[in-house]
Amino acid sequence: MLRRVSPLSKLISAAKPSLLNQVACGLNFLEAFSTDALKPAEAGTTSKPRTPTINFVLGGPGVGKGTQCTRIAETFGFTHLSVGDLLRKEISSDTEYGTMILETITKGKIVASEVTVKLLKAAIESSDTDRFLIDGFPRSEENRVAYEQIIGIEPEVVLFFDCNEEEMVKRILHRNQGRVDDNLDTTKERLKVFEAYTLPVIRYYSQKGKLHKINAIGTEDEIFERVRPIFAT
Ligand SMILES: Nc1ncnc2c1ncn2[C@@H]1O[C@H](COP(=O)(O)OP(=O)(O)O)[C@@H](O)[C@H]1O
Ligand SMILES: O=c1ccn([C@@H]2O[C@H](COP(=O)(O)OP(=O)(O)O)[C@@H](O)[C@H]2O)c(=O)[nH]1
Ligand SMILES: [Mg+2]
């Protein structure tokens, strides 16, 4: 069922002016795709749509998000959705967006929210589980606003893995997964994009009291032990 969206102005008041044009351009899309499918049940309604638990996992490129998500998902029973993986799957499935996604990832930029959120929504809806770790998203305030408009489930926890750029570059250059963006030039761009676009999202969730900042320097085990108490309660 289509539903009317609330005015964007309220939602984007915290967004940078430079993002407003991008947000406005997404409006038609938002209206077209907004549904009640994933929304919490309203008081007085008889049907009880499921409301999945969502946690976001953020951090710079190569910081170890995917590595830690695997551990968290196994230990605490989450479904791990890497948005980067969803996008790479689109490239290899040769879909209508494939070429655009490949170009964007190769340049280290952020794929249009309309595409990303559509893929994420489909992945959540097609899963028969209801506890998710969303890895590497939202990457910008524009992503976050689109997510709120289209999926609209408030994240319970937002993890932020933090480490210095030198270590992130080192980890990426040793990743060895044959990714088109794992080279020095693209990595430099991704670090700039992280600072300019993702840090504002991290600040937003920090102000909302949802952010858990994790020191991502150390062994994988050491880092996981820093994360464990967040989900163990
Ligand atoms: N604590 C760590 N110390 C050293 N290398 C790590 C650590 N955690 C992950 N790595 C390695 O760093 C690379 C990037 O990790 P990954 O989980 O893919 O990061 P992200 O998803 O944040 O880009 C991988 O090769 C991974 O094996
Ligand atoms: O929400 C997202 C997630 C990923 N990406 C693109 O996919 C790339 C790889 O993302 P991924 O999360 O796999 O990279 P990681 O940070 O884990 O190295 C990014 O640089 C972006 O170009 C994007 O545009 N939006
Ligand atoms: Mg990753």
Side-chain angles (χ1 to χ4, degrees):
M1 189 176 78
L2 286 176
R3 76 185 171 83
R4 291 193 62 78
V5 293
S6 53
L8 271 180
S9 54
K10 248 176 23 187
L11 290 157
I12 59 179
S13 56
K16 280 186 179 174
S18 60
L19 294 172
L20 299 187
N21 283 346
Q22 295 174 53
V23 172
C25 288
L27 182 59
N28 290 344
F29 162 78
L30 299 179
E31 286 177 340
F33 281 93
S34 291
T35 73
D36 288 334
L38 294 168
K39 298 279 178 176
E42 280 169 26
T45 55
T46 47
S47 65
K48 216 176 154 201
R50 78 193 169 121
T51 353
T53 300
I54 300 281
N55 300 300
F56 289 149
V57 180
L58 301 176
V63 73
K65 300 181 292 298
T67 305
Q68 292 298 324
C69 279
T70 304
R71 306 268 308 248
I72 301 165
E74 274 169 14
T75 309
F76 296 105
F78 289 103
T79 297
H80 172 198
L81 290 180
S82 157
V83 175
D85 284 350
L86 294 178
L87 293 167
R88 284 183 284 274
K89 209 163 103 196
E90 282 295 293
I91 297 171
S92 50
S93 316
D94 216 9
T95 60
E96 58 171 315
Y97 301 125
T99 311
M100 175 277 289
I101 294 171
L102 176 60
E103 275 174 19
T104 310
I105 288 182
T106 305
K107 288 184 195 151
K109 308 279 190 197
I110 299 174
V111 173
S113 298
E114 57 190 89
V115 173
T116 311
V117 178
K118 189 176 166 186
L119 294 176
L120 183 58
K121 184 167 182 279
I124 293 171
E125 284 179 346
S126 66
S127 170
D128 49 14
T129 64
D130 61 2
R131 285 158 47 79
F132 297 93
L133 285 179
I134 311 295
D135 167 3
F137 176 92
R139 262 178 149 86
S140 66
E141 280 287 273
E142 195 228 352
N143 275 176
R144 181 182 66 74
V145 171
Y147 169 89
E148 284 176 2
Q149 284 287 297
I150 295 161
I151 298 178
I153 302 164
E154 189 65 24
E156 284 204 349
V157 162
V158 180
L159 295 185
F160 165 37
F161 289 102
D162 183 40
C163 89
N164 60 71
E165 292 194 354
E166 200 185 337
E167 179 66 20
M168 289 192 262
V169 172
K170 206 164 85 187
R171 290 181 188 179
I172 283 181
L173 297 181
H174 285 94
R175 180 152 49 188
N176 217 10
Q177 289 177 356
R179 280 175 47 170
V180 289
D181 51 348
D182 280 354
N183 58 72
L184 191 55
D185 282 351
T186 309
T187 300
K188 283 183 183 163
E189 182 59 28
R190 292 165 70 199
L191 287 168
K192 279 191 208 154
V193 166
F194 172 72
E195 205 179 312
Y197 292 95
T198 315
L199 280 182
V201 180
I202 287 166
R203 278 197 290 273
Y204 173 85
Y205 285 117
S206 174
Q207 280 159 13
K208 284 196 111 183
K210 304 223 159 181
L211 195 81
H212 295 259
K213 181 171 165 178
I214 312 287
N215 172 8
I217 296 287
T219 65
E220 291 176 21
D221 284 350
E222 283 166 348
I223 296 162
F224 183 63
E225 289 312 317
R226 293 171 198 151
V227 173
R228 189 194 290 277
I230 297 166
F231 295 102
T233 50

